[in-house]
Amino acid sequence: MAQDDAPDPFADLADWAKETERKVRAERRRGGLLRKVPMVIVGAGALLATALVVPQVWPSASGDGPSAPADVTATTSRSAAVTGPFAGTPAAGYPLGAAGITLPKATAVEGFTATQVSAALGKVRRALIASRLDDEMLTGHNPAGLLDLLAPNARARIVKSFEARTAGAFATWIDPAVQLDPREQPRVSGRITYASTVVDGMRTLRVTTNFVFVYAFTGAGHPLAAAHDELQWEFPSTRNLRAGDRGMWMGDATSYTALVDCDAASRGLLAPTVHPAEPEPDETEDPKELLRADHDLDIQDDCA
């Protein structure tokens, strides 16, 4: 991405906390970005005052939305000590950082050998780390680590998403106005599945990931914020493919962010809610439930 063309991450920081305590939802489609901003304010109690969720969806070329194959599944099973700001939330026992991204056993599927499946799974894991955990992405706002993992011809579309500040469906940029807690690694939990499918007449290995990433920040109350996404990573068969098309492509993406600041979210940045809010009378779900790895991604958006 050209330095001169990239949006200024420090612009308008004086107003970064103007809108808070909401959820954000957005949707991505392979042919472009469809962003929905219906948000829901959720009372979070003493620890998590409110919830902000931003959902996003990016459909694949097949037009099918994200779906997790049921035949092959990996679910995070490791756990970390229940400490600090995560205590009392579903993330309390989640593994630290990349330890939460575990892979299923690679087996042959139609059109792909076990070795090819294993290589694809490893690349997807590296992409998740580059997108949601690497400091170069989180605070450096540099997507190079992710872009390098994609097929050459798949990169331009992703670059445009970062330039337009609409990459939150699959990547995290921390607002420069806030600071991650240096004593706490993000907590991560989720699953990975894969299956052989046909996309636009082409045999494709589709890897579906569904993970929640929970970040701890410095400041009063040691606030948390989370990104939960389900992504499809597609590896088309190399037969008859142009060199630039060979490799990993990003398909559909559905996500939300929770317990976040609305103004930061509107600028493609992640920051925690800073001002407590009273629970909505009709709210029945504990906002902490939004940190569950198995929470439904079809939620309302509070930051509209």
Side-chain angles (χ1 to χ4, degrees), residues 120-185:
L121 291 172
K123 182 169 283 191
V124 165
R125 185 175 188 272
R126 294 195 299 275
L128 292 174
I129 294 170
S131 298
R132 297 288 192 190
L133 297 174
D134 195 308
D135 284 340
E136 281 296 304
M137 180 72 81
L138 294 179
T139 57
H141 298 177
N142 180 2
L146 171 62
L147 297 173
D148 288 346
L149 294 168
L150 299 174
N153 291 343
R155 297 168 188 168
R157 187 170 53 101
I158 304 303
V159 168
K160 290 180 180 179
S161 293
F162 281 106
E163 292 176 339
R165 300 299 187 91
T166 54
F170 55 84
T172 300
W173 278 7
I174 300 298
D175 191 331
V178 298
Q179 182 181 3
L180 289 168
D181 189 335
R183 301 166 301 177
E184 300 286 350
Q185 292 188 55

Side-chain angles (χ1 to χ4, degrees), residues 17 37 47 55 86 92 94 112 186 191 200 207 212 230 239 260 300:
V37 206
L47 177 63
F86 302 99
Y94 292 171
F112 300 90
R191 68 172 185 270
D200 285 347
V207 179
V212 63
E230 181 171 281
R239 185 179 304 174
V260 298
Q300 287 184 305

Side-chain angles (χ1 to χ4, degrees), residues 66-68 74-76 100-101 124 128 188-193 207-213 227-233 254 256 292-297:
S67 60
T75 301
T76 299
I101 305 175
V124 165
L128 292 174
V188 181
S189 185
R191 68 172 185 270
I192 298 177
T193 64
V207 179
T208 302
T209 62
N210 188 312
F211 283 89
V212 63
F213 300 82
H228 185 186
D229 61 45
E230 181 171 281
L231 311 176
Q232 290 181 348
W233 308 86
T254 302
Y256 65 75
R292 289 189 356 247
D294 61 350
H295 194 283
D296 192 342
L297 283 94

